[in-house]
Amino acid sequence: MQLRTLKKINKKYLPKNYLFSPEWIVLGVNNVCNLHCKMCDVGTKTLETNFAQNLIGTHPINMPLELIQKTIDHMATYYPNSKLGYAFTEPLVYPHLEASLLYAKNKNIKTSITTNALTLKQKAKKLVESGLGNLFISLDGPQDIHNEIRGHKKSFQKAIEGIEEILSLNPELPISIFCVITEWNIGHLKTLADYFKDYPLQQLGFMHTNFTPQRIADGHNELWANIYPATASNVEEVNVDNFDLGLLFEEIIAIKNNNYRFPVTFSPEITSKEKLEEFYHQPEKIIGKMCNDVFSNIMIKSDGSVIPAHGRCYNLTLGNLNESSLKEIWNSSVLKKFRSDLITNGGLLPACSRCCSAF
């Protein structure tokens, strides 16, 4: 029986006794960002949300190198095939980045970085020399659109300079670009895809906005506030009523009808304008079938505390790596109960309805 089938059976019938290793250990290596993205709670300084608190709510500002080394040691011992993802808040400004990457390389742990690429050119040589395995870059459209969304007049240009530098140093390093769809870049998505048509990307991914309106958080909290409290998220400046969904659907079709040299994906894959209307205007409707990330990821914050999945999940402490082993946390009673509650309630809770982990 294939491994994927075994995992699926395990999730469905024995969620409290999940027998498989994590696929990713996600790191929140710092609590700072060097851009001010309009669709992000950190960028808009909406700091009371779960998402913001997961990213910048702990101290110290920078994860101690000793804590990352401990994480890597535990991965090498318990989960040598899992991948280490530097994802939050902006890894390229983390002072121990090179040292920790080298440490992971020496322990044969595969690594990836998710970045806005503002300082990628300056860091490129060290990243390549440190054995980085994958590079994920977040861009929001062509130059002027991206720069407006990110609040920096040269952020796109600097990202491109960084990509070019990486490719000149190691053309084989896999680079993927991801773009969050917002009201500001609809109508410019194909221009972004066409811009990279000659680049050797591993993937170009478009992500429909992850958002939690207040009414969805309120409905969720009527049922779950005592265990998994939710907050509104990523709606401070984003207004889904401003999304031109007709134009967006036209762009999706146009992009899919092109033959790019790399895979182009949408998350979730939406195949009609009616489904787009449902996604953005009926967030109470569950789109995905279940949370897969709670069975594949955990995220370590700068103070060693661990939450399920990644920054968009509930601010639920599973344990602390300063006090417990990675294996103990992955199999903690708190995480077992959360997995079981998700499956018992159909795979997702109400506030999970527009989270990327659901698709």
Side-chain angles (χ1 to χ4, degrees):
M1 189 179 294
Q2 291 185 346
L3 181 60
R4 181 178 295 183
T5 302
L6 290 173
K7 287 184 176 182
K8 186 175 181 180
I9 292 171
N10 195 167
K11 292 174 188 177
K12 184 175 181 179
Y13 295 106
L14 291 170
K16 279 192 174 182
N17 295 288
Y18 191 62
L19 303 176
F20 300 93
S21 302
E23 296 176 21
W24 286 94
I25 304 300
V26 180
L27 294 176
V29 293
N30 57 22
N31 293 338
V32 294
C33 187
N34 49 8
L35 290 178
H36 305 282
C37 307
K38 295 167 72 172
M39 69 293 192
C40 172
D41 290 338
V42 176
T44 61
K45 299 188 184 304
T46 312
L47 305 183
E48 71 279 3
T49 68
N50 279 352
F51 181 63
Q53 286 300 306
N54 285 340
L55 267 60
I56 62 172
T58 57
H59 296 283
I61 291 176
N62 293 302
M63 181 182 287
L65 177 59
E66 295 78 12
L67 181 57
I68 293 191
Q69 289 174 334
K70 183 176 183 179
T71 301
I72 294 167
D73 287 340
H74 285 209
M75 290 179 69
T77 299
Y78 303 117
Y79 307 120
N81 295 319
S82 300
K83 291 166 282 190
L84 187 66
Y86 294 71
F88 303 110
T89 295
E90 174 44 51
L92 292 193
V93 299
Y94 177 59
H96 307 303
L97 182 59
E98 180 185 9
S100 58
L101 284 170
L102 284 169
Y103 194 83
K105 179 182 179 181
N106 291 334
K107 294 283 184 173
N108 295 315
I109 297 299
K110 295 179 181 177
T111 55
S112 74
I113 287 177
T114 301
T115 175
N116 61 38
L118 186 65
T119 60
L120 181 58
K121 183 177 181 180
Q122 297 94 304
K123 305 294 175 65
K125 189 172 186 292
K126 290 182 178 180
L127 295 181
V128 170
E129 292 175 346
S130 301
L132 178 66
N134 279 274
L135 184 61
F136 304 125
I137 297 174
S138 177
L139 296 176
D140 296 315
Q143 179 176 304
D144 292 346
I145 300 299
H146 173 85
N147 291 347
E148 173 63 24
I149 293 172
R150 294 294 171 121
H152 190 294
K153 62 182 180 180
K154 292 187 177 180
S155 56
F156 185 88
Q157 299 93 308
K158 288 183 176 293
I160 298 303
E161 289 174 0
I163 292 171
E164 298 283 1
E165 186 70 12
I166 288 286
L167 291 173
S168 71
L169 295 168
N170 181 7
E172 303 304 317
L173 179 62
I175 299 175
S176 297
I177 291 174
F178 291 92
C179 174
V180 176
I181 297 170
T182 64
E183 61 196 90
W184 306 288
N185 61 20
I186 291 173
H188 305 277
L189 304 179
K190 187 174 183 298
T191 302
L192 178 67
D194 291 346
Y195 182 92
F196 288 102
K197 62 184 177 61
D198 294 324
Y199 280 74
L201 299 183
Q202 184 178 55
Q203 179 186 359
L204 172 61
F206 291 97
M207 302 176 65
H208 290 283
T209 294
N210 295 171
F211 66 106
T212 306
Q214 187 62 53
R215 65 184 177 86
I216 298 299
D218 291 342
H220 171 100
N221 287 333
E222 289 179 6
L223 301 171
W224 297 102
N226 61 324
I227 309 176
Y228 313 119
T231 66
S233 184
N234 299 327
V235 292
E236 182 68 16
E237 293 193 23
V238 172
N239 184 349
V240 296
D241 291 334
N242 293 334
F243 284 47
D244 187 335
L245 299 183
L247 179 57
L248 173 56
F249 187 65
E250 289 176 9
E251 280 209 285
I252 291 173
I253 297 301
I255 290 170
K256 286 185 172 294
N257 285 339
N258 267 264
N259 292 317
Y260 296 99
R261 61 185 296 182
F262 41 78
V264 179
T265 61
F266 286 82
S267 177
E269 292 285 352
I270 297 177
T271 56
S272 70
K273 186 173 181 294
E274 290 71 27
K275 289 296 182 181
L276 275 180
E277 293 279 354
E278 182 178 281
F279 182 91
Y280 284 104
H281 295 302
Q282 300 179 57
E284 68 279 0
K285 285 194 173 183
I286 300 294
I287 300 293
K289 294 183 178 180
M290 66 175 294
C291 176
N292 291 300
D293 284 359
V294 76
F295 292 96
S296 61
N297 307 351
I298 51 176
M299 174 179 159
I300 304 171
K301 300 185 189 182
S302 67
D303 65 349
S305 59
V306 182
I307 63 170
H310 54 73
R312 297 197 183 279
C313 202
Y314 303 98
N315 198 350
L316 179 68
T317 301
L318 309 179
N320 192 298
L321 202 63
N322 290 307
E323 302 164 358
S324 306
S325 73
L326 194 62
K327 185 175 182 180
E328 289 170 331
I329 293 171
W330 179 245
N331 294 288
S332 69
S333 59
V334 179
L335 185 52
K336 287 181 177 182
K337 176 173 170 48
F338 184 42
R339 290 169 177 154
S340 179
D341 286 342
L342 283 168
I343 296 301
T344 301
N345 288 274
L348 297 164
L349 303 183
C352 304
S353 67
R354 294 301 178 266
C355 174
C356 56
S357 297
F359 314 129

